[in-house]
């Protein structure tokens, strides 16, 4: 049995010596539970970069102490933006596809995966527009396939605790929620340099907490407005917002409305003590929940690296018997998808059952809609935009 992974970038297997990505470590952990998995086919576009990626993948697999074959495409020193189609043409022994390419390519590549008959996991956002997200949702349904978006924050214990406390009624009726989420300057200036103008900081980071708000409260987004600033990145000729502040009016099924405010940026100093700075507050009529999702209680200070505050809960390698074991909500998110696919194939569950609990394509139309209308607000004087989910 094999898995096809399209994309060989930072999220798949890291971008430097001391980073390992999330997708490959998660597949490695899944392999420990599912020995039938023998091979991963990775597809990129640039043969020199895929050669480097191959070395990294082999090293990560070796450090994890498991045996798993890897193939990398395109081969033979050639560059090919459509190499993934060649790989998708031979899928007789393929469990599923995982797509981790720049946002604007999600639609085309996921559509090809679904047309090749593969259950598919795509990194967020599902797509940048509602029209595309709806088409993929219909296509997955028509072909009887399981389509999921890798919204890993649904698996973070802090957020599960918030969902449980909200559902218990202890917080009362929701009034407002505040999220601050930011990452280092290295993301827009280096890691995403070749495609940064095809996304925004709201689409890259903010979308996680939009999906999460629906997951926690089962509310529907009603209206959205956004303001933003272009100062620091513009000086480097990168014409995207440094920071965006977005307000969303949500409506509970019973009709009560509440507000979510998202403050996001990707121009934090590269010297910050962790990649992500993230906090959530949720205030109701009877109580409040506050989660510091950056500072999770660990601080390491060394001559070499200064102060570091790693997140032990996302995707972290823990050493055991000289092997690395990967743990965290990023690992759980991907390996849960893989286990769900196995269970669907063995008739132990159904796509219909999973629709109620997982970030499926259908449920991810909501977060895509908020992003699309927030972008419209940004380019129309920050007016409030009514959200339409059907186009
Ligand atoms: N970096 C993160 O922490 C993170 C977290 C969650 C989700 N994501 C999402 O993952 C996606 C990719 O992010 P990344 O950080 O890996 O970016 P990246 O720029 O490091 O890598 C992008 C990868 O896509 C590949 N690619 C581009 N066009 C392709 C094509 N036609 N066929 C096959 N491969 C192609 C490139 O070869 C490259 O390997 C984005 O949608 C991003 O929002 C990233």
């Amino acid at each position: 049995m094999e898995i096809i992974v399209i994309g060989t970038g930072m999220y798949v297997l890291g971008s430097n010596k001391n980073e390992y990505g999330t997708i490959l470590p998660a597949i490695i952990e899944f392999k420990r539970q599912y020995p039938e998995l023998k091979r991963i086919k990775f597809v990129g576009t640039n043969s020199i970069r895929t050669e480097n990626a191959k070395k990294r993948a082999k090293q990560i697999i070796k450090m994890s102490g498991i045996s798993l074959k890897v193939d990398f495409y395109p081969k033979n020193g050639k560059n090919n933006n459509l190499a993934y189609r060649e790989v998708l043409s031979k899928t007789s022994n393929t469990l599923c596809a995982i797509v981790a390419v720049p946002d604007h390519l999600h639609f085309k590549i996921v559509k090809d995966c679904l047309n090749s008959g593969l259950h598919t996991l795509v990194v967020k956002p599902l797509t940048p527009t509602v029209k595309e997200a709806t088409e993929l949702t219909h296509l997955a349904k028509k072909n009887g396939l399981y389509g999921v978006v890798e919204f890993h924050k649904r698996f973070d214990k802090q957020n599960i605790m918030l969902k449980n406390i909200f559902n218990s009624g202890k917080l009362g009726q929701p009034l407002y929620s505040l999220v601050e989420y930011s990452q280092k300057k290295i993301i827009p200036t280096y890691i995403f340099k070749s495609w940064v103008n095809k996304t925004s900081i709201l689409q890259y980071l903010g979308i996680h907490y939009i999906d999460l708000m629906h997951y926690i409260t089962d509310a529907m987004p009603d209206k959205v407005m956004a303001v933003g600033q272009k100062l620091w990145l513009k000086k480097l000729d990168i014409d995207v917002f440094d920071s965006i502040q977005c307000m969303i009016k949500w409506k509970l099924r019973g009709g009560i409305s509440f507000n979510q405010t998202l403050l996001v940026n990707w121009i934090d100093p590269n010297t910050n003590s962790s990649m992500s700075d993230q906090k959530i507050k949720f205030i109701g009529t009877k109580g409040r929940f506050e989660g510091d999702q950056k500072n999770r209680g660990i601080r390491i200070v060394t001559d070499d690296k200064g102060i570091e505050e790693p997140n032990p809960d996302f995707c972290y390698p823990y050493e055991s018997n000289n092997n690395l074991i990967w743990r965290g909500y990023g690992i759980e998110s991907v390996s849960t998808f893989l286990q769900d696919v196995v269970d669907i194939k063995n008739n132990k569950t159904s796509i219909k059952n999973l629709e109620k609990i997982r970030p499926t394509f259908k449920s991810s139309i909501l977060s895509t809609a908020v992003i699309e209308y927030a972008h419209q607000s940004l380019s129309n004087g920050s007016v409030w935009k009514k959200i339409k989910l059907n186009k």
Side-chain angles (χ1 to χ4, degrees), residues 6-15 22 43-46 49-50 73 80-84 99-106 108-109 122-125 150 152 183 187 190-195 199 203-204 208 275 314:
I6 305 176
T8 57
M10 171 169 140
Y11 199 53
V12 172
L13 34 66
S15 62
T22 299
V43 198
T45 53
N46 174 305
R49 279 208 301 267
T50 48
Y73 304 83
N80 181 1
N81 284 351
L82 294 177
Y84 78 90
V99 178
V101 297
D103 301 7
H104 58 289
L105 302 173
H106 290 184
K108 182 175 85 164
I109 294 182
V122 61
V123 293
K124 47 77 202 167
E150 200 275 307
H152 47 247
Q183 286 191 349
I187 297 286
Y190 179 68
I191 309 273
F192 292 174
K193 195 166 194 262
S194 63
W195 58 278
T199 183
Q203 182 168 308
Y204 172 53
H208 272 297
M275 177 60 89
F314 172 46

Short mmCIF file of all heavy atoms in Angstrom, two decimals, residues 6-15 22 43-46 49-50 73 80-84 99-106 108-109 122-125 150 152 183 187 190-195 199 203-204 208 275 314, ligand 1:
data_model
loop_
_atom_site.label_atom_id
_atom_site.label_comp_id
_atom_site.label_asym_id
_atom_site.label_seq_id
_atom_site.Cartn_x
_atom_site.Cartn_y
_atom_site.Cartn_z
N ILE A 6 1.52 15.28 -2.54
CA ILE A 6 1.85 16.28 -3.57
C ILE A 6 2.29 17.57 -2.85
O ILE A 6 1.52 18.16 -2.09
CB ILE A 6 0.65 16.52 -4.51
CG1 ILE A 6 0.21 15.18 -5.11
CG2 ILE A 6 1.03 17.52 -5.62
CD1 ILE A 6 -1.03 15.25 -5.99
N GLY A 7 3.54 17.97 -3.10
CA GLY A 7 4.18 19.09 -2.39
C GLY A 7 5.31 18.52 -1.54
O GLY A 7 5.15 17.47 -0.89
N THR A 8 6.47 19.19 -1.57
CA THR A 8 7.63 18.70 -0.80
C THR A 8 8.24 19.86 -0.01
O THR A 8 9.45 19.95 0.14
CB THR A 8 8.69 18.09 -1.74
OG1 THR A 8 9.07 19.09 -2.69
CG2 THR A 8 8.18 16.87 -2.46
N GLY A 9 7.37 20.79 0.45
CA GLY A 9 7.87 22.00 1.10
C GLY A 9 7.93 21.92 2.61
O GLY A 9 7.97 20.83 3.21
N MET A 10 7.90 23.11 3.23
CA MET A 10 8.10 23.24 4.68
C MET A 10 7.13 22.39 5.49
O MET A 10 7.51 21.77 6.47
CB MET A 10 7.94 24.72 5.05
CG MET A 10 7.91 25.00 6.51
SD MET A 10 8.03 26.77 6.78
CE MET A 10 6.88 26.99 8.11
N TYR A 11 5.86 22.37 5.07
CA TYR A 11 4.88 21.66 5.90
C TYR A 11 4.99 20.14 5.75
O TYR A 11 4.59 19.39 6.62
CB TYR A 11 3.46 22.14 5.56
CG TYR A 11 2.49 21.79 6.66
CD1 TYR A 11 2.74 22.16 7.97
CD2 TYR A 11 1.34 21.07 6.40
CE1 TYR A 11 1.88 21.82 9.00
CE2 TYR A 11 0.47 20.73 7.43
CZ TYR A 11 0.75 21.11 8.73
OH TYR A 11 -0.09 20.77 9.75
N VAL A 12 5.56 19.71 4.64
CA VAL A 12 5.68 18.26 4.43
C VAL A 12 6.89 17.70 5.17
O VAL A 12 6.79 16.72 5.90
CB VAL A 12 5.76 17.94 2.91
CG1 VAL A 12 6.08 16.47 2.69
CG2 VAL A 12 4.44 18.29 2.24
N LEU A 13 8.07 18.33 4.96
CA LEU A 13 9.26 17.78 5.63
C LEU A 13 10.25 18.84 6.12
O LEU A 13 11.45 18.54 6.27
CB LEU A 13 9.95 16.72 4.75
CG LEU A 13 9.96 16.83 3.24
CD1 LEU A 13 10.75 18.00 2.79
CD2 LEU A 13 10.45 15.55 2.63
N GLY A 14 9.76 20.06 6.41
CA GLY A 14 10.61 21.08 7.03
C GLY A 14 11.44 21.83 6.01
O GLY A 14 11.52 21.44 4.84
N SER A 15 12.08 22.92 6.47
CA SER A 15 12.83 23.73 5.51
C SER A 15 14.30 23.85 5.87
O SER A 15 15.08 24.40 5.12
CB SER A 15 12.21 25.12 5.38
OG SER A 15 12.28 25.76 6.63
N THR A 22 5.46 18.37 9.14
CA THR A 22 4.39 17.71 9.90
C THR A 22 3.84 16.50 9.15
O THR A 22 3.56 15.46 9.75
CB THR A 22 3.25 18.72 10.17
OG1 THR A 22 3.79 19.79 10.93
CG2 THR A 22 2.10 18.10 10.93
N VAL A 43 5.60 14.20 -4.68
CA VAL A 43 5.70 14.90 -5.97
C VAL A 43 5.90 16.40 -5.75
O VAL A 43 5.11 17.05 -5.06
CB VAL A 43 4.42 14.73 -6.82
CG1 VAL A 43 4.72 15.07 -8.29
CG2 VAL A 43 3.84 13.35 -6.70
N GLY A 44 6.95 16.94 -6.35
CA GLY A 44 7.18 18.39 -6.39
C GLY A 44 7.21 18.83 -7.83
O GLY A 44 6.56 18.21 -8.69
N THR A 45 7.97 19.88 -8.11
CA THR A 45 8.04 20.37 -9.49
C THR A 45 9.48 20.49 -9.97
O THR A 45 9.73 20.45 -11.16
CB THR A 45 7.41 21.78 -9.58
OG1 THR A 45 8.04 22.61 -8.60
CG2 THR A 45 5.93 21.74 -9.37
N ASN A 46 10.40 20.66 -9.01
CA ASN A 46 11.78 20.99 -9.37
C ASN A 46 12.68 19.82 -8.96
O ASN A 46 12.72 19.45 -7.79
CB ASN A 46 12.14 22.28 -8.60
CG ASN A 46 13.58 22.67 -8.77
OD1 ASN A 46 14.48 21.88 -8.50
ND2 ASN A 46 13.79 23.88 -9.22
N ARG A 49 15.36 20.45 -6.20
CA ARG A 49 14.77 20.56 -4.86
C ARG A 49 14.25 19.20 -4.38
O ARG A 49 14.35 18.85 -3.21
CB ARG A 49 13.65 21.61 -4.84
CG ARG A 49 14.20 23.04 -4.73
CD ARG A 49 13.20 23.96 -4.06
NE ARG A 49 11.95 24.03 -4.78
CZ ARG A 49 11.67 24.94 -5.70
NH1 ARG A 49 12.55 25.87 -6.00
NH2 ARG A 49 10.51 24.94 -6.31
N THR A 50 13.69 18.41 -5.31
CA THR A 50 13.16 17.12 -4.86
C THR A 50 14.31 16.17 -4.47
O THR A 50 14.14 15.34 -3.59
CB THR A 50 12.24 16.43 -5.90
OG1 THR A 50 12.86 16.46 -7.16
CG2 THR A 50 10.89 17.07 -5.98
N TYR A 73 9.31 12.60 -7.33
CA TYR A 73 9.05 13.03 -8.70
C TYR A 73 9.05 14.55 -8.72
O TYR A 73 8.68 15.15 -7.71
CB TYR A 73 7.68 12.52 -9.18
CG TYR A 73 7.52 11.02 -9.08
CD1 TYR A 73 7.14 10.44 -7.86
CD2 TYR A 73 7.75 10.20 -10.17
CE1 TYR A 73 6.99 9.07 -7.76
CE2 TYR A 73 7.60 8.81 -10.05
CZ TYR A 73 7.22 8.25 -8.86
OH TYR A 73 7.07 6.88 -8.74
N ASN A 80 9.01 19.82 -13.85
CA ASN A 80 7.71 19.53 -14.46
C ASN A 80 6.59 19.86 -13.48
O ASN A 80 6.44 19.23 -12.44
CB ASN A 80 7.67 18.02 -14.82
CG ASN A 80 6.37 17.63 -15.47
OD1 ASN A 80 5.50 18.47 -15.69
ND2 ASN A 80 6.23 16.35 -15.80
N ASN A 81 5.79 20.90 -13.83
CA ASN A 81 4.69 21.31 -12.96
C ASN A 81 3.55 20.29 -12.95
O ASN A 81 2.66 20.36 -12.10
CB ASN A 81 4.12 22.65 -13.43
CG ASN A 81 5.03 23.79 -13.04
OD1 ASN A 81 5.98 23.59 -12.30
ND2 ASN A 81 4.74 24.98 -13.53
N LEU A 82 3.55 19.39 -13.93
CA LEU A 82 2.46 18.42 -14.02
C LEU A 82 2.90 17.00 -13.70
O LEU A 82 2.20 16.04 -14.00
CB LEU A 82 1.83 18.48 -15.43
CG LEU A 82 1.12 19.79 -15.77
CD1 LEU A 82 0.59 19.77 -17.19
CD2 LEU A 82 -0.02 20.08 -14.79
N ALA A 83 4.06 16.89 -13.04
CA ALA A 83 4.56 15.54 -12.69
C ALA A 83 3.52 14.79 -11.84
O ALA A 83 3.40 13.56 -11.92
CB ALA A 83 5.88 15.65 -11.93
N TYR A 84 2.76 15.53 -11.04
CA TYR A 84 1.78 14.87 -10.16
C TYR A 84 0.73 14.10 -10.96
O TYR A 84 0.21 13.09 -10.51
CB TYR A 84 1.14 15.90 -9.20
CG TYR A 84 0.08 16.76 -9.83
CD1 TYR A 84 -1.26 16.38 -9.81
CD2 TYR A 84 0.40 17.97 -10.44
CE1 TYR A 84 -2.24 17.17 -10.39
CE2 TYR A 84 -0.55 18.76 -11.03
CZ TYR A 84 -1.88 18.36 -11.00
OH TYR A 84 -2.85 19.12 -11.58
N VAL A 99 -2.40 16.64 -0.17
CA VAL A 99 -2.00 17.77 -1.01
C VAL A 99 -1.50 18.91 -0.12
O VAL A 99 -2.24 19.41 0.74
CB VAL A 99 -3.19 18.24 -1.89
CG1 VAL A 99 -2.80 19.45 -2.73
CG2 VAL A 99 -3.68 17.10 -2.78
N ALA A 100 -0.24 19.32 -0.30
CA ALA A 100 0.35 20.42 0.50
C ALA A 100 1.14 21.33 -0.44
O ALA A 100 2.37 21.38 -0.40
CB ALA A 100 1.25 19.84 1.59
N VAL A 101 0.41 22.02 -1.31
CA VAL A 101 1.01 22.94 -2.28
C VAL A 101 0.47 24.34 -1.99
O VAL A 101 -0.48 24.49 -1.22
CB VAL A 101 0.65 22.50 -3.72
CG1 VAL A 101 1.23 21.13 -4.04
CG2 VAL A 101 -0.85 22.50 -3.95
N PRO A 102 1.04 25.39 -2.62
CA PRO A 102 0.52 26.74 -2.38
C PRO A 102 -0.99 26.85 -2.61
O PRO A 102 -1.56 26.17 -3.48
CB PRO A 102 1.32 27.58 -3.39
CG PRO A 102 2.61 26.83 -3.54
CD PRO A 102 2.24 25.39 -3.46
N ASP A 103 -1.62 27.75 -1.83
CA ASP A 103 -3.09 27.84 -1.75
C ASP A 103 -3.79 27.89 -3.12
O ASP A 103 -4.82 27.24 -3.32
CB ASP A 103 -3.51 29.11 -0.98
CG ASP A 103 -2.96 29.15 0.44
OD1 ASP A 103 -2.14 28.27 0.79
OD2 ASP A 103 -3.35 30.08 1.18
N HIS A 104 -3.23 28.70 -4.05
CA HIS A 104 -3.93 28.94 -5.32
C HIS A 104 -3.94 27.69 -6.21
O HIS A 104 -4.64 27.66 -7.22
CB HIS A 104 -3.32 30.12 -6.07
CG HIS A 104 -1.86 29.95 -6.37
ND1 HIS A 104 -0.89 30.00 -5.40
CD2 HIS A 104 -1.21 29.70 -7.53
CE1 HIS A 104 0.29 29.81 -5.95
NE2 HIS A 104 0.13 29.62 -7.24
N LEU A 105 -3.16 26.65 -5.82
CA LEU A 105 -3.13 25.41 -6.62
C LEU A 105 -4.00 24.31 -6.02
O LEU A 105 -4.15 23.25 -6.62
CB LEU A 105 -1.68 24.91 -6.74
CG LEU A 105 -0.69 25.90 -7.37
CD1 LEU A 105 0.73 25.38 -7.27
CD2 LEU A 105 -1.07 26.16 -8.83
N HIS A 106 -4.57 24.58 -4.84
CA HIS A 106 -5.35 23.53 -4.17
C HIS A 106 -6.49 23.03 -5.06
O HIS A 106 -6.71 21.82 -5.20
CB HIS A 106 -5.95 24.04 -2.84
CG HIS A 106 -4.92 24.25 -1.77
ND1 HIS A 106 -5.22 24.61 -0.49
CD2 HIS A 106 -3.56 24.17 -1.79
CE1 HIS A 106 -4.12 24.73 0.23
NE2 HIS A 106 -3.10 24.48 -0.56
N LYS A 108 -7.10 23.02 -8.39
CA LYS A 108 -6.76 22.21 -9.57
C LYS A 108 -6.23 20.83 -9.16
O LYS A 108 -6.65 19.81 -9.70
CB LYS A 108 -5.67 22.98 -10.35
CG LYS A 108 -5.24 22.32 -11.62
CD LYS A 108 -4.26 23.19 -12.39
CE LYS A 108 -2.85 22.98 -11.88
NZ LYS A 108 -1.79 23.47 -12.74
N ILE A 109 -5.34 20.81 -8.18
CA ILE A 109 -4.68 19.55 -7.83
C ILE A 109 -5.62 18.61 -7.06
O ILE A 109 -5.67 17.41 -7.31
CB ILE A 109 -3.34 19.82 -7.09
CG1 ILE A 109 -2.39 20.52 -8.08
CG2 ILE A 109 -2.73 18.54 -6.55
CD1 ILE A 109 -1.00 20.83 -7.56
N VAL A 122 -6.29 17.86 2.17
CA VAL A 122 -5.58 19.04 1.68
C VAL A 122 -5.30 19.97 2.85
O VAL A 122 -6.12 20.08 3.76
CB VAL A 122 -6.38 19.75 0.56
CG1 VAL A 122 -7.74 20.25 1.04
CG2 VAL A 122 -5.59 20.93 -0.03
N VAL A 123 -4.12 20.60 2.83
CA VAL A 123 -3.81 21.57 3.88
C VAL A 123 -4.74 22.78 3.70
O VAL A 123 -5.27 22.99 2.61
CB VAL A 123 -2.33 22.00 3.82
CG1 VAL A 123 -1.44 20.85 4.19
CG2 VAL A 123 -1.96 22.53 2.46
N LYS A 124 -4.93 23.55 4.77
CA LYS A 124 -5.85 24.67 4.65
C LYS A 124 -5.25 25.79 3.80
O LYS A 124 -4.02 25.87 3.72
CB LYS A 124 -6.28 25.20 6.03
CG LYS A 124 -5.13 25.40 7.02
CD LYS A 124 -4.35 26.63 6.77
CE LYS A 124 -3.00 26.74 7.27
NZ LYS A 124 -2.21 27.80 6.78
N PRO A 125 -6.05 26.65 3.17
CA PRO A 125 -7.51 26.63 3.09
C PRO A 125 -7.94 25.60 2.05
O PRO A 125 -7.14 25.25 1.17
CB PRO A 125 -7.83 28.03 2.55
CG PRO A 125 -6.68 28.35 1.64
CD PRO A 125 -5.48 27.73 2.31
N GLU A 150 -6.93 19.88 6.47
CA GLU A 150 -6.07 19.56 7.61
C GLU A 150 -6.11 20.73 8.64
O GLU A 150 -5.14 21.47 8.80
CB GLU A 150 -4.64 19.28 7.10
CG GLU A 150 -3.78 18.50 8.07
CD GLU A 150 -3.11 19.40 9.08
OE1 GLU A 150 -2.45 20.37 8.67
OE2 GLU A 150 -3.26 19.13 10.28
N HIS A 152 -5.67 21.37 11.90
CA HIS A 152 -5.15 20.64 13.07
C HIS A 152 -5.54 21.26 14.40
O HIS A 152 -5.46 20.60 15.43
CB HIS A 152 -3.62 20.48 12.97
CG HIS A 152 -2.90 21.73 12.61
ND1 HIS A 152 -2.23 21.90 11.42
CD2 HIS A 152 -2.74 22.90 13.27
CE1 HIS A 152 -1.69 23.09 11.37
NE2 HIS A 152 -1.99 23.73 12.48
N GLN A 183 3.18 35.19 13.03
CA GLN A 183 4.41 34.42 12.81
C GLN A 183 5.55 35.35 12.39
O GLN A 183 5.35 36.54 12.15
CB GLN A 183 4.19 33.32 11.76
CG GLN A 183 3.36 32.15 12.32
CD GLN A 183 3.34 30.93 11.42
OE1 GLN A 183 3.75 30.97 10.27
NE2 GLN A 183 2.81 29.82 11.95
N ILE A 187 8.58 33.98 7.18
CA ILE A 187 7.54 33.29 6.39
C ILE A 187 7.25 34.05 5.08
O ILE A 187 7.44 33.48 4.00
CB ILE A 187 6.25 33.08 7.22
CG1 ILE A 187 6.53 32.16 8.42
CG2 ILE A 187 5.12 32.51 6.37
CD1 ILE A 187 6.73 30.69 8.09
N TYR A 190 10.84 34.73 2.97
CA TYR A 190 11.72 33.65 2.54
C TYR A 190 10.95 32.36 2.21
O TYR A 190 10.94 31.91 1.07
CB TYR A 190 12.79 33.40 3.62
CG TYR A 190 13.74 32.28 3.29
CD1 TYR A 190 14.66 32.39 2.25
CD2 TYR A 190 13.71 31.09 4.02
CE1 TYR A 190 15.51 31.35 1.94
CE2 TYR A 190 14.58 30.04 3.72
CZ TYR A 190 15.47 30.18 2.68
OH TYR A 190 16.31 29.15 2.37
N ILE A 191 10.24 31.81 3.21
CA ILE A 191 9.60 30.50 3.00
C ILE A 191 8.56 30.55 1.88
O ILE A 191 8.53 29.69 1.00
CB ILE A 191 8.93 29.99 4.30
CG1 ILE A 191 9.90 30.05 5.49
CG2 ILE A 191 8.34 28.59 4.12
CD1 ILE A 191 10.78 28.88 5.72
N PHE A 192 7.65 31.56 1.93
CA PHE A 192 6.58 31.63 0.93
C PHE A 192 6.89 32.66 -0.16
O PHE A 192 5.98 33.12 -0.85
CB PHE A 192 5.24 32.03 1.59
CG PHE A 192 4.65 31.00 2.52
CD1 PHE A 192 3.51 31.30 3.27
CD2 PHE A 192 5.19 29.72 2.64
CE1 PHE A 192 2.95 30.35 4.13
CE2 PHE A 192 4.64 28.78 3.49
CZ PHE A 192 3.52 29.09 4.24
N LYS A 193 8.16 33.04 -0.31
CA LYS A 193 8.52 34.16 -1.19
C LYS A 193 7.92 34.02 -2.59
O LYS A 193 7.42 34.98 -3.17
CB LYS A 193 10.05 34.25 -1.28
CG LYS A 193 10.52 35.54 -1.84
CD LYS A 193 12.01 35.73 -1.60
CE LYS A 193 12.39 37.16 -1.85
NZ LYS A 193 12.93 37.51 -3.03
N SER A 194 7.96 32.78 -3.14
CA SER A 194 7.55 32.63 -4.54
C SER A 194 6.03 32.72 -4.73
O SER A 194 5.56 32.87 -5.84
CB SER A 194 8.07 31.30 -5.09
OG SER A 194 7.48 30.24 -4.37
N TRP A 195 5.26 32.60 -3.64
CA TRP A 195 3.79 32.64 -3.85
C TRP A 195 3.07 33.49 -2.81
O TRP A 195 1.84 33.44 -2.71
CB TRP A 195 3.24 31.21 -3.89
CG TRP A 195 3.48 30.35 -2.68
CD1 TRP A 195 4.60 29.64 -2.40
CD2 TRP A 195 2.58 30.08 -1.59
NE1 TRP A 195 4.46 28.95 -1.21
CE2 TRP A 195 3.22 29.20 -0.70
CE3 TRP A 195 1.28 30.50 -1.29
CZ2 TRP A 195 2.63 28.74 0.47
CZ3 TRP A 195 0.69 30.04 -0.12
CH2 TRP A 195 1.37 29.17 0.73
N THR A 199 -1.68 34.75 -1.42
CA THR A 199 -2.43 34.46 -0.21
C THR A 199 -2.45 35.73 0.64
O THR A 199 -2.11 36.82 0.18
CB THR A 199 -1.82 33.25 0.55
OG1 THR A 199 -2.63 32.95 1.69
CG2 THR A 199 -0.38 33.47 0.97
N GLN A 203 -5.74 34.48 5.36
CA GLN A 203 -5.96 33.18 4.72
C GLN A 203 -4.97 32.13 5.25
O GLN A 203 -5.30 30.96 5.36
CB GLN A 203 -5.80 33.35 3.21
CG GLN A 203 -6.06 32.08 2.41
CD GLN A 203 -6.17 32.37 0.92
OE1 GLN A 203 -6.93 33.23 0.50
NE2 GLN A 203 -5.41 31.66 0.12
N TYR A 204 -3.77 32.57 5.60
CA TYR A 204 -2.75 31.63 6.05
C TYR A 204 -2.95 31.24 7.53
O TYR A 204 -3.00 30.05 7.86
CB TYR A 204 -1.36 32.23 5.82
CG TYR A 204 -0.23 31.44 6.42
CD1 TYR A 204 -0.08 30.08 6.15
CD2 TYR A 204 0.69 32.03 7.28
CE1 TYR A 204 0.95 29.34 6.71
CE2 TYR A 204 1.72 31.30 7.85
CZ TYR A 204 1.84 29.95 7.57
OH TYR A 204 2.85 29.22 8.14
N HIS A 208 -7.57 29.30 10.56
CA HIS A 208 -7.63 28.23 11.56
C HIS A 208 -8.70 28.52 12.62
O HIS A 208 -9.47 27.66 13.00
CB HIS A 208 -6.29 28.13 12.30
CG HIS A 208 -5.31 27.23 11.62
ND1 HIS A 208 -5.53 25.89 11.45
CD2 HIS A 208 -4.08 27.47 11.09
CE1 HIS A 208 -4.49 25.34 10.85
NE2 HIS A 208 -3.59 26.28 10.62
N MET A 275 7.96 30.17 16.66
CA MET A 275 7.47 30.57 15.32
C MET A 275 6.10 31.23 15.42
O MET A 275 5.85 32.26 14.84
CB MET A 275 7.42 29.34 14.40
CG MET A 275 6.86 29.62 13.02
SD MET A 275 7.81 30.86 12.11
CE MET A 275 9.01 29.82 11.30
N PHE A 314 2.23 20.59 19.32
CA PHE A 314 1.86 20.63 17.89
C PHE A 314 2.45 19.44 17.12
O PHE A 314 1.73 18.55 16.67
CB PHE A 314 2.27 21.96 17.26
CG PHE A 314 2.10 22.01 15.77
CD1 PHE A 314 0.94 21.54 15.17
CD2 PHE A 314 3.10 22.52 14.95
CE1 PHE A 314 0.78 21.55 13.79
CE2 PHE A 314 2.94 22.54 13.57
CZ PHE A 314 1.79 22.06 12.99
N1 LIG B 1 4.21 25.97 6.73
C1 LIG B 1 3.25 25.66 7.62
O1 LIG B 1 3.42 25.67 8.85
C2 LIG B 1 1.90 25.27 7.11
C3 LIG B 1 1.00 24.82 8.04
C4 LIG B 1 -0.25 24.41 7.61
C5 LIG B 1 -0.56 24.48 6.27
N2 LIG B 1 0.33 24.97 5.37
C6 LIG B 1 -0.10 25.05 3.98
O2 LIG B 1 0.67 24.14 3.20
C7 LIG B 1 0.72 24.61 1.85
C8 LIG B 1 2.16 24.58 1.41
O3 LIG B 1 2.88 25.24 2.41
P1 LIG B 1 4.43 24.97 2.67
O4 LIG B 1 4.73 25.66 3.94
O5 LIG B 1 4.78 23.55 2.53
O6 LIG B 1 5.01 25.82 1.41
P2 LIG B 1 6.38 25.73 0.63
O7 LIG B 1 6.46 26.96 -0.22
O8 LIG B 1 7.51 25.40 1.57
O9 LIG B 1 6.19 24.44 -0.32
C9 LIG B 1 5.29 24.42 -1.40
C10 LIG B 1 5.52 23.12 -2.14
O10 LIG B 1 4.54 23.00 -3.20
C11 LIG B 1 5.17 22.39 -4.29
N3 LIG B 1 4.45 22.64 -5.52
C12 LIG B 1 4.13 23.82 -6.10
N4 LIG B 1 3.50 23.59 -7.29
C13 LIG B 1 3.38 22.24 -7.42
C14 LIG B 1 2.86 21.40 -8.41
N5 LIG B 1 2.30 21.87 -9.53
N6 LIG B 1 2.96 20.05 -8.25
C15 LIG B 1 3.54 19.54 -7.14
N7 LIG B 1 4.06 20.31 -6.16
C16 LIG B 1 4.00 21.64 -6.30
C17 LIG B 1 6.56 22.99 -4.31
O11 LIG B 1 7.43 22.17 -5.06
C18 LIG B 1 6.89 22.99 -2.82
O12 LIG B 1 7.44 21.74 -2.47
C19 LIG B 1 0.07 25.99 1.86
O13 LIG B 1 -1.28 25.88 1.42
C20 LIG B 1 0.11 26.39 3.31
O14 LIG B 1 -0.95 27.29 3.66
C21 LIG B 1 1.56 25.33 5.76
#
